[in-house]
Amino acid sequence: MNSETRNQNDSFSNKQFWKTTAIVVIITVVMAGLLFHLTKLYVLKQAENKIQDLLLTHNGIHQYVQHVMLPAFYRYKQEGKIQEDFYAPELLSSSFIVRNQHIFYNKERVSLGLPELYYKLAAENPRNPVNKADKREEKLIKMFNKQREIKKYSEVLKIDNKKYLYVALPFLENQENCMKCHGNRDDAPEQLQEIYKGQGGFNEKKGDIRAIISVRAPLENEYFNIYIVFFALFVGVVVMVSLFLFSNRLKKLIHTRTKSLEQKIVEHEQAEEELRESEKKYRNILENMDDGYLEVDIAGNITFFNDSFCNIFGYSRDEMMGMNYREYMDEENAQKIYHAFNKVYQTGISTRANDWRFTRKDGSGCFVEMVVSLITDSNNKGIGFRGIARDVTDRKKLEAQLQQAQK
């Protein structure tokens, strides 16, 4: 009887064990699925927010060009400081500026071992074919115009068996000042009409959202993070369901990973700080060096300079910005500089000049010794020049006095 009772108890215990095991397995599977789903949503949301921040930054650049640069440009036109028909996309087109800025942004990402992020400003009627919207983008443009309350669109795309997170934002609404370049073609600046033939970018309507901006980012790292986080959480669930048999080990694992994450955060912050310090040091060197430093575009217009360069010619920073080198020299010396710049542009080799003669703001003449080198873009194409200038007027005078004395 005792043996039979014992067998019955063993049988009941086995049933209870398998029943409990089944419940534990079901709970674990359900919790695992829920945790995986929540982890996936969280990680993708974080990636989406980062992309949205990047797009908002791009939109901020567009806003600056439209609300600061362009009004200043037309004001200078009215004041006669800029010729009436002047137009250059490198200086006045926000889409051109942002597209090239994103190219440099990707170069910085690659230099840090990060993947490039695909960026596009897509329009149905663009000036540049590279901005032509595809079918998905055309639908999004129509959606943002019809449903103005929608401020963002995102989805996961699969391209060549790889997953990407795609985020799109509506471009800026056409304002009154936008119509100067995007309204009637005949009312646009003549040089703009010469650069862009046809009706692309023209005949837009005020208040319309004429384009979208989008970024497509690979999700390899994000999915890797999803699996890492999910695995950690799953292990935690299993440990808790198993009566905390491995609680101590889990605590050590969490502590180790937390320390590793904190170390990575510290290293990342240190790298950012070093980058900021490096840039600050570079700017301080340029601003505090005795020699003048400047950068000009291909047309010879000044785009950057330090105080020493202003001091050589007697102009203030506001007066110097945007000036052309021809404005403070005679034609003969202007031709010398043109040929020197052209040689640097053709060969890519820096050149040194010792006898360039300029005219200061007060009308007095000065001699400048200058080393000129080429500024190139990501395609190694020349986009401007940089120069280091030294005022050698006093030296020239001493040399002339010495020659006179020798005579």
Side-chain angles (χ1 to χ4, degrees), residues 54-219:
L54 174 61
L55 289 172
L56 291 175
T57 300
H58 287 353
N59 250 352
I61 298 175
H62 285 290
Q63 292 273 17
Y64 174 79
V65 172
Q66 294 188 16
H67 296 287
V68 179
M69 289 180 64
L70 290 179
F73 168 73
Y74 287 110
R75 184 173 68 251
Y76 291 144
K77 269 192 175 184
Q78 292 175 354
E79 296 173 357
K81 295 180 180 179
I82 300 176
Q83 63 187 53
E84 183 60 31
D85 61 346
F86 174 80
Y87 180 85
E90 299 89 346
L91 304 176
L92 303 173
S93 171
S94 61
S95 59
F96 182 95
I97 293 171
V98 172
R99 184 170 65 249
N100 284 276
Q101 180 268 339
H102 191 82
I103 292 174
F104 288 111
Y105 169 78
N106 271 334
K107 288 181 65 177
E108 293 298 324
R109 286 183 61 86
V110 172
S111 69
L112 296 176
L114 301 173
E116 293 186 356
L117 301 183
Y118 175 84
Y119 166 79
K120 183 178 180 182
L121 186 150
E124 294 181 289
N125 182 35
R127 292 197 172 114
N128 192 327
V130 72
N131 295 326
K132 178 63 179 174
D134 58 24
K135 292 183 179 180
R136 173 187 285 106
E137 292 160 344
E138 289 178 353
K139 290 181 180 179
L140 290 177
I141 293 172
K142 290 183 174 63
M143 180 192 74
F144 285 128
N145 272 291
K146 290 181 179 180
Q147 305 178 53
R148 295 300 176 97
E149 71 278 6
I150 298 178
K151 302 299 182 183
K152 178 180 66 175
Y153 174 84
S154 65
E155 68 171 311
V156 176
L157 301 177
K158 192 171 184 179
I159 303 174
D160 296 331
N161 293 323
K162 293 183 178 180
K163 291 185 177 181
Y164 295 85
L165 180 59
Y166 175 82
V167 179
L169 301 181
F171 191 54
L172 312 177
E173 292 185 7
N174 286 331
Q175 305 294 325
E176 184 63 36
N177 58 337
C178 301
M179 296 297 98
K180 294 178 180 178
C181 295
H182 291 282
N184 192 301
R185 177 184 173 83
D186 295 333
D187 297 333
E190 292 183 5
Q191 288 192 2
L192 176 61
Q193 297 182 47
E194 292 176 3
I195 294 173
Y196 300 105
K197 307 298 182 182
Q199 297 299 321
F202 297 105
N203 304 318
E204 302 286 350
K205 295 180 181 179
K206 182 180 176 181
D208 281 357
I209 298 173
R210 67 175 182 272
I212 61 169
I213 55 176
S214 62
V215 164
R216 190 176 70 217
L219 287 176

Side-chain angles (χ1 to χ4, degrees), residues 30 33 78 87 89-90 127 179 275 280 298 325 342 370 387 393 397 400:
V30 171
Q78 292 175 354
Y87 180 85
E90 299 89 346
R127 292 197 172 114
M179 296 297 98
L275 184 61
K280 182 179 178 181
I298 291 297
Y325 69 87
N342 189 51
M370 187 175 294
T393 305
K397 289 180 180 179

Side-chain angles (χ1 to χ4, degrees), residues 236-255:
V237 171
V238 172
V239 169
M240 287 186 294
V241 174
S242 303
L243 302 177
F244 306 100
L245 294 178
F246 303 103
S247 57
N248 292 332
R249 182 180 178 185
L250 178 61
K251 290 178 181 178
K252 292 180 181 179
L253 179 62
I254 293 176
H255 178 74

Side-chain angles (χ1 to χ4, degrees), residues 18 34 123 174 218 247 250 256 274 283 289 301 331 358 380:
W18 288 112
L34 179 61
N174 286 331
S247 57
L250 178 61
T256 301
E274 290 174 0
R283 291 294 179 182
M289 63 190 295
N301 301 308
E331 185 61 29
F358 296 85
N380 206 31

